């Protein structure tokens, strides 16, 4: 089956950005957007767009030569009273506006603050969706002693027969569970979650129609909703993990 991926780079929303947006002012630094655009273009897997939420992010995206979609954050309500607008709802909203005729069947969601990503990771992320049974794929890396205690973690059952030809050192496996509480996952097959996602378009449309469960809200991990729906999600292990991806460990997860 022919595939047509769309890479959606979401401009960063942090506390300062939300406060500036509410005041109608611009204080946000979006210097990572140009890097994210270059990485997406280097991956050479499909069209890339930047979902902007203010003048600063839109200007940075246009300076990088990217297609842009402007999102009004007030159109995307938070899922509860202490969380910023839902990441998965935001990307689905953007994709619907940009591609209302459903020309793109695979959606890669890359938050701006994970801009400095090896383009091979994005190419390799296509491999888990080789099976039509898989609805979502995401990245994981080795746990580190420097990880905060509430770092999102994933328990994975690896498929040793799966080969990733564009990145032989990577591995593919089925996700069994997400949690920020290490005691809930056990000691075997547990990895740090890197929130860069690949969704099958049909699955994304279904996921956003489902309200979050109490466990998703408690954990503050939207990907739990995929498992709650009984959909199959797979992980791609990148051995270098998050060491060159996260520029701010306090950044919003979604």
């Amino acid at each position: 089956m022919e595939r047509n991926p769309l890479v959606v780079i979401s401009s960063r929303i942090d506390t300062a950005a939300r406060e500036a947006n509410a005041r109608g002012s611009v204080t946000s630094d979006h210097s990572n957007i140009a890097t994210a655009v270059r990485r997406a273009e280097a991956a050479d897997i499909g069209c890339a767009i930047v979902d902007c939420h203010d003048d600063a992010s839109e200007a940075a995206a246009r300076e990088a030569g990217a297609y842009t979609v402007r999102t009004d954050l007030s159109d995307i309500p938070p899922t509860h009273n202490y969380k910023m607008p839902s990441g998965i709802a935001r990307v689905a909203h953007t994709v619907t506006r940009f591609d209302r005729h459903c020309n793109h069947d695979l959606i890669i969601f890359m938050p701006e603050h994970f801009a400095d990503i090896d383009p091979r990771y994005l190419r390799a992320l296509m491999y888990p969706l080789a099976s039509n049974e898989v609805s979502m794929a995401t990245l994981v890396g080795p746990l580190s002693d420097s990880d905060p205690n509430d770092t999102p973690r994933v328990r994975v059952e690896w498929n040793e027969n799966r080969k990733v030809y564009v990145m032989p050192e990577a591995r593919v496996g089925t996700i069994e569970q997400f949690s920020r509480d290490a005691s809930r996952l056990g000691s075997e097959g547990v990895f740090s979650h890197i929130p860069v996602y690949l969704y099958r378009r049909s699955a994304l449309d279904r996921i956003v129609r489902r309200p979050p469960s109490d466990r998703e809200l408690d954990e503050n991990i939207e990907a739990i909703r995929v498992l709650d729906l009984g959909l199959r999600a797979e992980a791609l292990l990148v051995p270098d993990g998050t060491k060159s991806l996260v520029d701010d460990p306090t950044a919003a997860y979604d």
Side-chain angles (χ1 to χ4, degrees), residues 14-131:
D14 53 20
T15 301
R18 283 182 291 160
E19 292 176 350
N21 187 69
R23 295 193 303 267
S25 60
V26 176
T27 61
S28 303
D29 174 18
H30 293 287
S31 56
N32 280 336
I33 285 181
T35 301
V37 171
R38 288 195 298 269
R39 297 293 191 271
E41 291 176 345
D44 195 26
I45 54 175
C47 176
I49 63 171
V50 178
D51 175 12
C52 311
H53 72 276
D54 60 11
D55 291 341
S57 58
E58 187 169 21
R62 289 186 173 177
E63 185 175 350
Y67 292 106
T68 62
V69 175
R70 183 73 174 256
T71 293
D72 183 346
L73 298 183
S74 64
D75 290 341
I76 307 172
T79 52
H80 49 73
N81 62 6
Y82 60 87
K83 181 179 177 183
M84 62 186 59
S86 162
I88 195 172
R90 181 182 175 189
V91 73
H93 176 79
T94 298
V95 169
T96 299
R97 291 173 60 216
F98 181 79
D99 181 29
R100 62 188 62 190
H101 298 296
C102 296
N103 294 315
H104 298 277
D105 57 345
L106 298 179
I107 308 300
I108 294 178
F109 174 35
M110 187 168 73
E112 176 193 343
H113 47 287
F114 287 83
D116 195 15
I117 187 172
D118 187 329
R120 293 187 309 153
Y121 291 9
L122 298 180
R123 290 197 294 272
L125 193 55
M126 304 286 290
Y127 277 73
L129 265 72
S131 168

Side-chain angles (χ1 to χ4, degrees), residues 21-242:
N21 187 69
R23 295 193 303 267
S25 60
V26 176
T27 61
S28 303
D29 174 18
H30 293 287
S31 56
N32 280 336
I33 285 181
T35 301
V37 171
R38 288 195 298 269
R39 297 293 191 271
E41 291 176 345
D44 195 26
I45 54 175
C47 176
I49 63 171
V50 178
D51 175 12
C52 311
H53 72 276
D54 60 11
D55 291 341
S57 58
E58 187 169 21
R62 289 186 173 177
E63 185 175 350
Y67 292 106
T68 62
V69 175
R70 183 73 174 256
T71 293
D72 183 346
L73 298 183
S74 64
D75 290 341
I76 307 172
T79 52
H80 49 73
N81 62 6
Y82 60 87
K83 181 179 177 183
M84 62 186 59
S86 162
I88 195 172
R90 181 182 175 189
V91 73
H93 176 79
T94 298
V95 169
T96 299
R97 291 173 60 216
F98 181 79
D99 181 29
R100 62 188 62 190
H101 298 296
C102 296
N103 294 315
H104 298 277
D105 57 345
L106 298 179
I107 308 300
I108 294 178
F109 174 35
M110 187 168 73
E112 176 193 343
H113 47 287
F114 287 83
D116 195 15
I117 187 172
D118 187 329
R120 293 187 309 153
Y121 291 9
L122 298 180
R123 290 197 294 272
L125 193 55
M126 304 286 290
Y127 277 73
L129 265 72
S131 168
N132 290 331
E133 297 177 358
V134 179
S135 297
M136 183 197 82
T138 190
L139 299 176
V140 301
L143 292 172
S144 169
D145 292 338
S146 62
D147 290 339
N149 290 334
D150 64 345
T151 293
R153 295 173 171 85
V154 188
R155 187 175 69 241
V156 182
E157 180 179 353
W158 298 110
N159 184 337
E160 302 299 340
N161 295 323
R162 296 288 296 278
K163 305 297 182 184
V164 182
Y165 293 100
V166 298
M167 195 176 174
E169 66 272 31
R171 300 169 68 189
V172 174
T174 300
I175 294 173
E176 298 182 330
Q177 197 52 267
F178 294 89
S179 183
R180 293 180 186 271
D181 184 347
S183 67
R184 297 179 181 177
L185 298 178
S187 58
E188 298 296 327
V190 179
F191 296 82
S192 178
H193 185 210
I194 304 170
V196 175
Y197 299 93
L198 172 60
Y199 294 100
R200 203 174 296 280
R201 176 78 176 269
S202 57
L204 178 62
D205 292 342
R206 180 181 174 189
I207 293 163
V208 294
R209 290 197 296 267
R210 168 78 173 259
S213 65
D214 289 343
R215 192 170 73 86
E216 176 186 332
L217 296 178
D218 178 58
E219 294 273 14
N220 194 19
I221 300 176
E222 287 191 318
I224 287 174
R225 199 179 317 174
V226 179
L227 304 184
D228 286 346
L229 280 166
L231 300 176
R232 181 172 164 186
E234 294 208 342
L236 177 81
L237 173 65
V238 289
D240 289 340
T242 60

